[in-house]
Amino acid sequence: MSVNDEWRRRSLAAVWHPCTQMKLHAHAAQPLIPVARAEGVWLYDFDGRRYLDGVSSWWVNLFGHSHPAIRAALIEQLNSLDHVMLAGFTHAPVVELSERLAALTGLGHAFYASDGASATEIALKMSAHYWRNVGRAEKCCFVGVAGGYHGETVGALAVTDIALFREAYAPLVRLAATVASPDARQAAAGEDAAAVAERAAAALGDWLAEHHEQTAAVIVEPLVQCAAGMAMHDPLYLRRVRELCDSYQVHLVVDEIAVGFGRTGTMFAHTQAGIRPDFICLSKGLTGGTLPLSAVLTTDQVYAAFYDDDVARGFLHSHSYTGNPLACRAALATLDLFEQTDALRANRATAERLNAQLAALHQHSRVRHGRHLGMLWAWDIASSLPDFARRYARHALAQGVLLRPIGHTLYLMPPYVLSEAEGEHLAQGALAALQATLAEEAEGAASQSEGAVDGV
Ligand SMILES: Cc1ncc(COP(=O)(O)O)c(C=O)c1O
């Protein structure tokens, strides 16, 4: 038994893996990949094989794995302060990070948690509690966008509109309202992305006209609904949502968890619409993909409504690791890298180069709705295979590339440090995996799991 096989066996016996039907790993065709170490864009298994991390390990990694600057910052932090509770105590990394996030976003009073779903819940709770504190307790409902994804804890599932993740827990969830998505792929003949955005905004307007008195907040993923299959929309939609929220006195929560920190070409996606939200949720890339950390930032007006002699009017939410110094230090080192490497500008050059390397994929006859924004590429693949994603991912691994399509949407979200040669490997591997998957389809491949639907 190889070292890989031994870790596989032990993992399947001891670990319950996320977003996974564990039985699938019983098939030799769907093996777990044990990772021994990672560096730059590469993941290395125990037998010496390497895989280019084409999805930045669930969209968290920005500057490559094991970045020396982030590693050094973490070691230095570990030598002075590992952790202290943040209630009644404070420390340099959390203060410095909060100051820098405020300067970057124009919002302040950063509240911390460890994952994206918790950030969503914090924003929703803060919004509803704000309205209660200002005497409008009836404003406690939320509106999300069709196909939206904001995390999978029971509270976050209220605004996550993906049946596969929500159906089994429907009785536990206090469902938010769902309005039409501005997904530009819905454009009818003669329509452009802006027209779809106007239509979707009008649907939100209709809903708010009727329900604004009970509505605390609208939550949106700015520019890209990632988990929905990299559904992109015109920034006009965000401007219209902002206008509607203003006229109906409803908060606007922008969930930048997946798209923040440069992924769409600007530091934060919503700035491309020139809007200022009432809440921003951040996570994933915040620590450059090293440690779990999330943050919610809001306005002085919201903060002031909690500032009171009455304890119960305060935001009494907490997590044990809130504002963990190591995670905050990793985030500071990540923000330093943005400045030191002029990352947003460098990304424009990297994206242009990768775009050219992807020419054959862009032109593939089975590709529909090719789309690209910043350091994110997606294509819908016309394939009759119900388990296209799973088959594709397997072929991609055989090419030395980690790619996991969402349904029939193939996408790339590589770390920003992709070199020219690595870009070539990614582009070639992505194309070869597509050809191999479609060859199986042509052979009339009997699906291992007919009707199977894949997660992210
Ligand atoms: C837009 C968005 N919000 C929230 C989340 C949830 O984050 P986490 O998986 O850290 O709970 C995700 C995760 O993919 C996401 O893409």
Side-chain angles (χ1 to χ4, degrees), residues 56-71:
S56 295
S57 282
W58 261 347
W59 322 339
V60 301
N61 193 283
L62 302 185
F63 294 104
H65 293 271
S66 197
H67 193 287
I70 302 179
R71 210 169 46 200

Side-chain angles (χ1 to χ4, degrees), residues 59 115-118 120 149-152 221 226-227 255 257-258 283-284:
W59 322 339
D115 53 63
S118 302
T120 297
Y149 182 94
H150 302 283
E152 293 174 55
E221 292 161 86
C226 294
D255 177 348
I257 289 165
S283 190
K284 290 196 186 272

Side-chain angles (χ1 to χ4, degrees), residues 133-316:
N133 279 356
V134 299
R136 308 217 30 205
E138 72 284 1
K139 282 172 84 70
C140 61
C141 299
F142 302 104
V143 192
V145 173
Y149 182 94
H150 302 283
E152 293 174 55
T153 51
V154 172
L157 274 179
V159 286
T160 285
D161 181 44
I162 296 188
L164 180 64
F165 300 143
R166 189 157 81 180
E167 231 161 54
Y169 314 104
L172 313 183
V173 178
R174 179 175 173 264
L175 266 195
T178 301
V179 291
S181 165
D183 180 353
R185 290 174 298 181
Q186 301 170 92
E191 258 191 339
D192 59 9
V196 182
E198 291 284 16
R199 199 154 27 91
L204 175 64
D206 290 347
W207 197 90
L208 285 176
E210 207 175 323
H211 301 283
H212 64 97
E213 289 191 350
Q214 295 80 43
T215 303
V218 177
I219 182 165
V220 296
E221 292 161 86
L223 298 191
V224 192
Q225 292 182 273
C226 294
M230 303 300 157
M232 297 186 186
H233 58 254
D234 194 290
L236 175 66
Y237 178 70
L238 301 173
R239 282 198 288 283
R240 292 285 182 261
V241 175
R242 178 70 275 179
E243 288 160 12
L244 287 165
C245 287
D246 285 342
S247 54
Y248 285 114
Q249 289 199 304
V250 166
H251 288 140
L252 171 56
V253 180
V254 298
D255 177 348
E256 292 263 1
I257 289 165
V259 292
F261 300 103
R263 186 54 71 181
T264 65
T266 44
M267 194 62 168
F268 300 109
H270 71 273
T271 61
Q272 293 185 38
I275 58 156
R276 182 173 186 254
D278 301 293
F279 296 88
I280 299 183
C281 301
L282 303 172
S283 190
K284 290 196 186 272
L286 176 57
T287 62
T290 52
L291 285 169
L293 182 68
S294 60
V296 176
L297 292 105
T298 188
T299 60
D300 289 346
Q301 187 186 353
V302 168
Y303 182 76
F306 289 79
Y307 197 80
D308 200 272
D309 293 327
D310 181 357
V311 171
R313 285 173 64 93
F315 190 59
L316 306 184

Side-chain angles (χ1 to χ4, degrees), residues 417-428:
V417 292
L418 197 75
S419 71
E420 184 168 359
E422 290 161 347
E424 197 57 39
H425 178 87
L426 178 59
Q428 297 288 339

Side-chain angles (χ1 to χ4, degrees), residues 369-399:
H369 299 293
R371 48 205 184 274
H372 162 229
L373 188 64
M375 285 293 288
L376 201 172
W377 289 258
W379 307 266
D380 297 342
I381 307 299
S383 162
S384 59
L385 290 168
D387 56 353
F388 170 83
R390 201 170 304 149
R391 287 175 184 274
Y392 182 95
R394 194 169 70 234
H395 288 300
L397 288 172
Q399 295 293 327

